[in-house]
Amino acid sequence: MYDPLHHQSPGQNAPYPDSYWASTVSLTNSTAAPITGDHDTEVLIIGAGYTGMSTALHLAREHNIQPLVIEANQTAWGCSGRNAGFILKSTGRMAWTAMQKKWGEEVMRGIYHEACSGVDIVNSLIAEGIDCQVQDKGYIKVAHKPSMMPGLEQQAKLLQSMFGYDVEVLSRAQLHNQYMQDEMAHGAIRFEDGFGLNPLKLALGYQDLLARTGVNIHTGSPALSYEKTEKGHVITTPEGRITAKKLVIATNGYTPKGFNPVVNNRFLPVLSQIIVTQPLSEEQLRACNFLTSNVVMDTRALKYYYRKLPDNRILFGGRGAITGKGAEDPYYANRLLTVLKESFPALQSISYDYAWAGWICMSLDDIPHVHQQDDVFYAMGYCGSGVSFSVQAGKRLAERVVGKTLPALPLYQTGLRKFPLPALRRSGQWLYFQYGRIRDNYL
Ligand SMILES: Cc1cc2nc3c(=O)[nH]c(=O)nc-3n(C[C@H](O)[C@H](O)[C@H](O)COP(=O)(O)OP(=O)(O)OC[C@H]3O[C@@H](n4cnc5c(N)ncnc54)[C@H](O)[C@@H]3O)c2cc1C
């Protein structure tokens, strides 16, 4: 599998992974074609995931700029077409309490507002007619051991008092009776407004909205080389050459090795793995009391997440291999299946129909950054939580491209920090996984 720390290109025109999502869409894209010949443009966007498409949509709709968009493979071939489809009010990995402690209440509220705005934009784009299988509202965060419940209760209180956010505390019995009988869950808190959707359908919906503004994505067009000249940024693809006044990097966790000095060594791509089971029978659903389609995540340092899909399959995810080389080893999918069965012992006979993995983009300080250096702009580092925030980041990136001042928040004021000893990023990740395993199981 493509490994951003080792390979200099994510390929050209590679098909979507064999994911459940790919099986739900018709994959004929009549408007997509590689870019050919010489082009001059005001803005070139590299990468057609949610970030690139949102930036393009906001540039076209709100700032009257028609950017060029190039994508190495297919629209949303990266994370955007292969994630778990959880829409949550979040920005990266940092807890609201940690933000409050680090930057004070006003900044934390500002960031919360940006997270809410991301969800609002996703909802409003869906309301323009994107059919992406939106499921019932609700996000359940389960305590994977009893000692995690006080922390969850405190979080619920904080969110209620700070933001008036309605968060329900559920005992183990309430969770089992009203939502699902997860034997590994020792209680939970439930947010009223997270939800699950089909992420690839969402992305292809954005592509359609973009086409309606006159912007077509050039798929099969990897940016292969980069040069800064007097005329602007010159990017070559296998069949084209683009000179752009402004360059937008929207490649997130799929950014290739040595891609651009502005982002090199400033992120860590980490594999997240997903399995999707066979559809559960009525009997299996009853045996697990699987009543809910809410999205579920646990409190582990090495988190597991799951949801029941519209056709009663279970999507179950967690960490994957460390390198691209190991990504397709069935060990990682089977490990998820084992944990799924521990959570729902009635599903001993179940297996999975789909398994795939994708690169999430970790930043050193656990928050995403929308930044610029001269005329090179980027938004990345969503830390596995960018389905809605990447759309807000794209909106802010478009504003930045046209010279608007962004809110005074760490998300927008500072760029991605360089990793110390970047060559050892994977060793650091391995050590964190060891620590996480010990913390989750023994502490
Ligand atoms: C398994 C998994 C589960 C996840 N689940 C969730 C979830 O439930 N909720 C949530 O909020 N977040 C989730 N995420 C994270 C979320 O999917 C991402 O934050 C989001 O999709 C990032 O979008 P993006 O557009 O920035 O990047 P991407 O969608 O990764 O797009 C980057 C694109 O850039 C292209 N590219 C790279 N290099 C080049 C080049 N040289 N030339 C041209 N194109 C190039 C790639 O082909 C790729 O298509 C998950 C991620 C994974 C992997």
Side-chain angles (χ1 to χ4, degrees):
M1 186 188 197
Y2 165 64
D3 187 331
L5 288 195
H6 290 289
H7 300 129
Q8 281 166 341
S9 168
Q12 183 185 6
N13 228 357
Y16 289 108
D18 189 14
S19 73
Y20 172 74
W21 307 126
S23 79
T24 66
V25 296
S26 145
L27 293 175
T28 45
N29 183 354
S30 54
T31 56
I35 195 154
T36 54
D38 282 357
H39 296 264
D40 284 307
T41 184
E42 173 82 15
V43 182
L44 171 65
I45 299 174
I46 304 177
Y50 303 138
T51 302
M53 287 194 281
S54 170
T55 309
L57 196 62
H58 285 93
L59 279 174
R61 284 184 172 183
E62 287 173 18
H63 308 292
N64 211 16
I65 291 178
Q66 297 282 108
L68 269 182
V69 184
I70 59 169
E71 160 58 48
N73 297 305
Q74 317 298 328
T75 297
W77 178 82
C79 272
S80 300
R82 57 177 94 196
N83 63 69
F86 286 33
I87 297 284
L88 305 175
K89 283 180 186 166
S90 61
T91 55
R93 255 167 64 89
M94 194 186 274
W96 301 114
T97 39
M99 292 186 198
Q100 185 191 33
K101 213 166 157 190
K102 191 164 178 184
W103 298 304
E105 192 176 324
E106 202 186 332
V107 169
M108 182 200 46
R109 279 182 186 278
I111 296 178
Y112 179 74
H113 177 265
E114 294 295 300
C116 295
S117 176
V119 176
D120 290 346
I121 302 180
V122 172
N123 280 324
S124 71
L125 294 176
I126 291 173
E128 290 187 41
I130 302 178
D131 175 11
C132 56
Q133 298 179 298
V134 170
Q135 290 185 285
D136 292 345
K137 288 222 163 25
Y139 159 42
I140 301 175
K141 193 163 178 185
V142 300
H144 75 281
K145 47 188 171 188
S147 60
M148 301 311 282
M149 267 319 278
L152 285 183
E153 284 167 18
Q154 200 189 344
Q155 195 183 334
K157 270 195 201 128
L158 177 92
L159 289 167
Q160 266 153 357
S161 68
M162 299 287 266
F163 310 128
Y165 197 168
D166 211 1
V167 187
E168 194 185 353
V169 177
L170 298 168
S171 67
R172 180 176 164 92
Q174 284 170 319
L175 183 71
H176 283 190
N177 293 334
Q178 295 167 28
Y179 296 96
M180 73 285 170
Q181 199 170 331
D182 179 341
E183 295 299 342
M184 306 267 276
H186 297 269
I189 55 175
R190 182 174 174 277
F191 303 75
E192 295 240 295
D193 56 358
F195 61 92
L197 49 63
N198 181 321
L200 183 55
K201 287 193 175 199
L202 179 71
L204 297 179
Y206 292 165
Q207 174 180 256
D208 288 344
L209 296 181
L210 206 48
R212 282 191 233 155
T213 69
V215 179
N216 290 320
I217 296 164
H218 294 281
T219 55
S221 304
L224 297 178
S225 71
Y226 166 77
E227 199 189 341
K228 176 89 207 307
T229 69
E230 270 178 15
K231 285 191 179 160
H233 305 274
V234 180
I235 296 288
T236 56
T237 66
E239 296 167 68
R241 188 168 185 273
I242 307 145
T243 306
K245 288 200 185 111
K246 295 177 179 172
L247 182 68
V248 172
I249 299 174
T251 48
N252 202 42
Y254 283 77
T255 309
K257 183 178 180 184
F259 185 59
N260 190 292
V262 173
V263 293
N264 291 345
N265 298 329
R266 291 173 191 273
F267 71 101
L268 170 62
V270 171
L271 280 170
S272 189
Q273 169 84 42
I274 286 179
I275 57 171
V276 170
T277 67
Q278 304 149 336
L280 268 57
S281 64
E282 286 302 323
E283 199 184 323
Q284 285 170 321
L285 288 169
R286 258 197 314 276
C288 310
N289 202 31
F290 220 127
L291 302 170
T292 190
S293 301
N294 287 180
V295 295
V296 184
M297 198 162 348
D298 71 11
T299 44
R300 285 180 171 86
L302 306 176
K303 294 196 181 333
Y304 292 108
Y305 48 88
Y306 63 87
R307 53 184 278 217
K308 185 175 70 173
L309 298 171
D311 58 0
N312 290 335
R313 296 171 188 271
I314 306 296
L315 176 154
F316 201 90
R319 73 188 188 284
I322 289 192
T323 63
K325 221 173 176 182
E328 272 134 31
D329 186 333
Y331 166 81
Y332 298 98
N334 287 329
R335 182 167 69 186
L336 291 180
L337 189 64
T338 303
V339 181
L340 168 65
K341 289 179 181 178
E342 283 165 9
S343 297
F344 299 102
L347 300 183
Q348 281 317 309
S349 62
I350 200 118
S351 62
Y352 57 85
D353 283 344
Y354 301 90
W356 69 95
W359 296 103
I360 63 175
C361 185
M362 305 303 293
S363 62
L364 191 59
D365 57 4
D366 288 341
I367 57 166
H369 291 267
V370 176
H371 205 61
Q372 95 186 77
Q373 194 172 309
D374 301 323
D375 279 335
V376 180
F377 301 76
Y378 66 80
M380 55 196 275
Y382 307 110
C383 306
S385 147
V387 177
S388 53
F389 187 71
S390 58
V391 179
Q392 174 70 5
K395 173 189 148 90
R396 292 300 191 196
L397 196 54
E399 289 171 356
R400 190 150 208 156
V401 166
V402 298
K404 281 198 169 178
T405 306
L406 302 190
L409 297 171
L411 305 170
Y412 309 134
Q413 283 170 318
T414 59
L416 289 165
R417 280 165 51 197
K418 224 175 205 158
F419 275 71
L421 305 174
L424 298 182
R425 278 173 284 179
R426 288 264 159 88
S427 312
Q429 181 188 347
W430 183 85
L431 279 173
Y432 181 77
F433 280 3
Q434 302 313 310
Y435 154 78
R437 242 167 18 93
I438 293 167
R439 202 192 103 172
D440 292 341
N441 293 317
Y442 307 110
L443 301 182

